[in-house]
C-alpha cells in the first residue's frame, strides 16, 4: 500500500502558515494595494494580465451590470433577507440564482449568438458587409422561431443608455472587435427584418464587449453575476436600513385572489 499522498494541482492559489500565494504571486506583498479587484477577477479567470484598455472595458462592464433597480433578483434578495434576517449569504444567493435568460443571462446568450454567427461566416470588411451578415443572422433566427438575444429592454424602449457609452469606451480603448461590430449591425438592420424597432440592451452589449476581450463564452454569465453581487449587497444594506420587503410581501399576500382551478 503506497504512502504517497494524492496531489490536487491548481494555478489559482495556495497557503501555508505564513504566506498566501495567488496566481503565483505573494498576495500580501505583491497584490494587495497594487491591483484592482477587476484586474484580479480578470486574471483569475483568464490567467493573463489585461492591457489597460481591456481592463477599462472589463471594469466598465462590471459597473454597467451591477444594478438595475427593483429587478426580480433584487426583490428576491430583499424578501429572503426579510424571511431570514440572520442569513446575508442566503439573501445574496437568492438574488444570484435569478440570473437567467431574462436578467443577466442575456450577456452570455448574446455573446454566444454573435460568436456562432461569426464562426460560420467570413469577417466583413465594411459596414454594408456587416449589415448583410446581421440581416441574414436575424432573419434565420426569426424563421427558427427564436428571439435575437440582446434586442429589446422592458424599461428602455428607445435606447439603453449603457449601450452607446460602452461602445465608445471599447473604441477608445482599442478593444472594439467583430462581436461589437456585428451587434451594432444587428441594431441597424433588425427593424427592417422584424418590422419593429428594438434597442440594443446593456446586457447584450456587455456580452459583445466581453467576447471581444477574448473571454470564454461559458464564463460570461459568471462575470455578470460577479457584477450583480455588488448591486445585491447594496440592496441588502438598504433593506437593513430602510426595509421595503415587508410591504412587498403584504401587498402580494393581501391582494391574492383565489381562483377555482376547475
Amino acid at each position: 500500500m503506497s504512502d504517497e499522498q494524492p496531489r490536487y494541482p491548481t494555478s489559482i492559489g495556495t497557503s501555508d502558515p505564513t504566506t498566501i500565494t495567488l496566481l503565483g504571486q505573494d498576495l500580501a506583498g505583491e497584490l494587495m494595494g497594487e491591483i484592482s479587484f477587476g484586474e484580479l477577477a480578470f486574471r483569475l479567470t483568464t490567467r493573463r494580465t489585461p492591457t489597460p484598455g481591456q481592463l477599462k472595458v472589463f471594469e466598465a462592464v462590471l459597473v454597467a451590470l451591477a444594478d438595475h433597480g427593483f429587478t426580480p433578483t433584487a426583490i428576491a434578495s430583499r424578501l429572503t433577507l426579510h424571511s431570514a434576517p440572520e442569513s446575508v449569504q442566503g439573501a445574496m444567493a437568492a438574488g444570484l440564482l435569478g440570473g437567467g435568460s431574462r436578467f443577466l443571462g442575456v450577456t452570455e446568450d448574446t455573446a454566444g449568438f454573435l460568436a456562432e454567427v461569426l464562426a460560420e461566416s467570413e469577417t466583413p470588411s465594411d459596414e454594408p458587409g456587416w449589415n448583410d451578415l446581421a440581416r441574414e443572422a436575424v432573419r434565420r433566427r426569426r424563421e427558427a422561431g427564436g428571439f435575437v438575444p440582446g434586442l429589446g429592454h422592458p424599461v428602455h424602449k428607445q435606447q439603453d443608455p449603457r449601450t452607446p457609452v460602452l461602445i465608445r469606451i471599447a473604441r477608445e480603448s482599442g478593444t472594439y472587435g467583430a462581436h461589437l461590430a456585428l451587434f451594432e449591425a444587428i441594431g441597424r438592420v433588425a427593424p427592417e427584418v422584424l418590422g419593429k424597432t428594438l434597442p440594443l440592451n446593456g446586457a447584450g452589449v456587455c456580452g459583445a464587449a466581453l467576447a471581444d476581450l477574448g473571454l470564454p463564452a461559458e464564463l460570461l454569465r459568471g462575470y455578470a453575476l460577479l457584477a450583480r453581487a455588488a448591486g445585491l449587497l447594496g440592496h441588502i444594506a438598504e433593506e437593513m436600513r430602510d426595509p421595503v420587503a415587508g410591504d412587498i410581501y403584504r401587498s402580494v399576500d393581501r391582494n391574492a385572489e383565489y381562483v377555482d382551478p376547475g
Side-chain angles (χ1 to χ4, degrees):
M1 184 174 180
S2 174
D3 292 329
E4 183 178 348
Q5 295 298 311
R7 312 298 292 176
Y8 305 98
T10 177
S11 297
I12 303 298
T14 58
S15 61
D16 60 35
T18 59
T19 63
I20 301 173
T21 300
L22 187 62
L23 299 173
Q25 294 181 265
D26 182 85
L27 174 65
E30 297 179 284
L31 297 178
M32 292 174 61
E34 300 299 325
I35 67 172
S36 68
F37 181 71
E39 181 178 344
L40 179 62
F42 191 103
R43 291 176 59 183
L44 281 169
T45 54
T46 65
R47 298 187 183 182
R48 57 187 170 93
T49 299
T51 66
Q54 290 173 334
L55 182 59
K56 185 172 183 178
V57 170
F58 183 70
E59 293 189 330
V61 167
L62 295 181
V63 173
L65 296 176
D67 182 65
H68 210 284
F70 278 106
T71 58
T73 58
I75 294 171
S77 280
R78 286 178 179 256
L79 287 173
T80 301
L81 186 73
H82 178 72
S83 179
E86 74 285 354
S87 180
V88 170
Q89 71 274 23
M92 288 284 290
L96 293 175
L97 288 171
S101 59
R102 292 186 176 177
F103 291 88
L104 295 179
V106 177
T107 300
E108 177 186 306
D109 297 341
T110 302
F113 172 71
L114 297 173
E116 181 180 326
V117 174
L118 291 170
E120 297 173 349
S121 312
E122 294 186 5
T123 302
S125 58
D126 53 23
E127 184 172 300
W130 282 112
N131 289 346
D132 290 341
L133 179 59
R135 191 177 292 109
E136 177 64 14
V138 175
R139 184 190 62 78
R140 285 189 299 174
R141 177 56 67 98
R142 183 188 185 189
E143 290 179 352
F147 295 100
V148 177
L151 277 182
H153 194 280
V155 177
H156 308 301
K157 300 298 184 181
Q158 301 301 317
Q159 183 183 66
D160 190 316
R162 298 168 293 181
T163 298
V165 174
L166 191 54
I167 290 173
R168 172 181 58 78
I169 293 173
R171 288 186 181 278
E172 293 173 350
S173 301
T175 68
Y176 184 96
H179 297 87
L180 278 171
L182 177 57
F183 194 54
E184 280 202 282
I186 287 173
R188 291 192 296 268
V189 306
E192 66 181 82
V193 180
L194 302 178
K196 56 183 176 181
T197 300
L198 297 170
L200 299 175
N201 63 51
V205 76
C206 286
L210 292 177
D212 276 344
L213 297 183
L215 299 179
E218 61 270 20
L219 289 181
L220 296 194
R221 189 171 303 191
Y223 295 121
L225 294 172
L226 174 66
R228 187 53 57 92
L232 292 176
L233 187 58
H235 277 277
I236 290 169
E238 185 175 72
E239 184 65 27
M240 290 177 175
R241 294 190 302 265
D242 301 299
V244 298
D247 292 337
I248 295 173
Y249 158 62
R250 284 186 291 273
S251 177
V252 176
D253 182 65
R254 293 303 90 201
N255 290 286
E257 180 180 356
Y258 178 77
V259 177
D260 191 327

